[in-house]
């Protein structure tokens, strides 16, 4: 069994605890056991350091780096909500620490587990960003990842940021168009232009039988048990670092 501690008891943190307490029967997730949690709003509870092998980082985006670094340096496996960091350079350093310590570093990406994904221009909306989420290119990195997984490595040629009164903002790049503001629902719209056709709607997909966070928990647990090939681990690492590099480039272009 892998004893786990959850850092940050927001929505994602509670879901992590729930899924570990009731894992999918017969899956690698059964090998994880909750040993405690760390929260600013609740009294911290956890077992001894020897009882903890895994940390789930579910805090604000800008604090991910410090938390991940602390646990990696202590020789613990880490599962962190995306984005792993808001700095490409820092992410490279964290991967190096994980390799040196011989532990698993896993970035959650439930966006890639949706039925929509399984079955240009990408535009999506969402509520106003809270403090600690980082620049929109990082808080919205799931959409960059979507494109990279679909079409391979990308390059950014232009990016801009518009901010209006009322906490509305819009970030546009050659790849991604993102708008956020109070009252905007979460939505995803596409406009992929190919030589043979234009795709403007994602075909509807049935709801998956297994929850997204549970799917991610199973994938992470499989890594802990050595059930994921080194080749797949390397592909994930390359994709994550590439997307963080794109996000950093977008931020630089918007701020110049």
């Amino acid at each position: 069994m892998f004893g786990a501690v959850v850092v940050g008891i927001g929505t994602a943190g509670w879901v992590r605890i729930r899924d570990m307490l009731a894992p999918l029967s017969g899956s690698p997730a059964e090998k994880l056991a909750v040993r405690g949690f760390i929260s600013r709003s609740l009294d911290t509870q956890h077992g001894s350091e020897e009882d903890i092998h895994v940390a789930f980082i579910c805090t604000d985006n800008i604090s991910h780096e410090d938390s991940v670094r602390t646990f990696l340096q202590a020789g613990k496996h880490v599962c962190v909500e995306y984005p792993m960091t808001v700095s490409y350079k820092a992410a490279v350093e964290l991967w190096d620490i994980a390799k040196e310590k011989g532990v698993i570093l896993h970035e959650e990406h439930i966006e890639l587990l949706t039925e929509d994904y399984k079955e240009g221009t990408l535009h999506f909306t969402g509520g106003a960003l809270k403090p600690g989420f980082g620049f929109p290119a990082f808080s919205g990195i799931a959409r960059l990842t979507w494109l990279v997984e679909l079409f391979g490595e990308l390059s950014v040629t232009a990016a801009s940021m518009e901010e209006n009164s009322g906490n509305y903002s819009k970030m546009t790049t050659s790849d991604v168009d993102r708008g956020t503001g109070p009252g905007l629902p979460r939505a995803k719209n596409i406009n992929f232009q190919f030589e043979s056709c234009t795709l403007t709607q994602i075909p509807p997909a049935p709801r998956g039988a297994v929850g997204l966070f549970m799917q991610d928990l199973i994938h992470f647990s499989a890594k802990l048990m050595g059930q994921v090939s080194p080749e797949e681990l390397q592909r994930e690492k390359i994709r994550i670092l590439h997307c963080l590099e794109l996000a950093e480039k977008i931020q630089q272009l918007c701020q110049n």
Side-chain angles (χ1 to χ4, degrees):
M1 295 295 291
F2 294 89
V5 62
V6 177
V7 183
I9 310 298
T11 301
W14 283 118
V15 170
R16 291 298 189 182
I17 291 175
R18 179 203 68 190
D19 286 351
M20 281 189 281
L21 292 175
L24 185 69
S25 178
S27 75
E30 289 185 315
K31 297 299 183 182
L32 285 165
V34 180
R35 298 293 187 225
F37 59 83
I38 299 174
S39 172
R40 289 192 299 264
S41 58
L42 298 171
D43 291 334
T44 296
Q45 299 181 17
H46 59 79
S48 66
E49 184 175 343
E50 293 73 24
D51 293 334
I52 297 173
H53 312 95
V54 177
F56 287 84
I57 309 301
C58 308
T59 55
D60 294 339
N61 294 349
I62 60 173
S63 63
H64 284 177
E65 178 186 339
D66 289 342
S67 298
V68 172
R69 190 184 301 274
T70 297
F71 281 99
L72 289 180
Q73 289 177 335
K76 311 299 181 183
H77 304 289
V78 173
C79 173
V80 58
E81 308 299 316
Y82 75 81
M84 178 186 303
T85 71
V86 291
S87 161
Y88 169 76
K89 180 182 177 182
V92 172
E93 292 174 356
L94 295 179
W95 281 112
D96 289 343
I97 296 173
K99 182 177 180 180
E100 176 190 340
K101 296 292 185 178
V103 295
I104 295 294
L105 175 56
H106 172 82
E107 183 187 67
E108 165 268 312
H109 247 299
I110 59 173
E111 184 87 10
L112 302 183
L113 301 174
T114 62
E115 297 303 313
D116 282 340
Y117 171 77
K118 293 174 182 177
E119 299 289 325
T121 297
L122 176 64
H123 172 260
F124 71 98
T125 60
L129 295 178
K130 299 177 182 178
F133 272 57
F135 191 78
F138 287 96
S139 58
I141 203 168
R143 274 63 189 187
L144 284 175
T145 304
W146 232 65
L147 292 173
V148 169
E149 283 288 296
L150 287 172
F151 304 116
E153 290 194 1
L154 305 174
S155 61
V156 179
T157 57
S160 62
M161 185 76 178
E162 301 173 28
E163 295 184 281
N164 300 320
S165 59
N167 292 325
Y168 287 91
S169 64
K170 181 180 179 181
M171 183 190 72
T172 304
T173 80
S174 54
D175 300 309
V176 178
D177 178 11
R178 179 176 193 198
T180 63
L184 287 179
R186 280 189 169 273
K188 189 186 294 118
N189 303 288
I190 64 170
N191 185 357
F192 295 141
Q193 299 185 16
F194 304 99
E195 291 183 359
S196 59
C197 66
T198 297
L199 184 64
T200 59
Q201 185 175 1
I202 300 173
R207 187 179 181 86
V210 179
L212 299 180
F213 278 100
M214 181 64 78
Q215 292 183 50
D216 182 69
L217 190 67
I218 292 169
H219 185 49
F220 176 51
S221 305
K223 291 179 180 180
L224 299 179
M225 298 174 65
Q227 297 176 358
V228 179
S229 70
E231 292 77 17
E232 185 175 347
L233 291 174
Q234 181 64 13
R235 283 195 297 271
E236 272 194 30
K237 174 182 175 180
I238 291 172
R239 182 255 296 162
I240 290 169
L241 290 178
H242 176 58
C243 291
L244 287 170
E245 192 172 25
L246 286 173
E248 197 162 89
K249 177 65 174 178
I250 291 170
Q251 181 177 9
Q252 292 170 354
L253 287 170
C254 288
Q255 292 177 340
N256 288 341

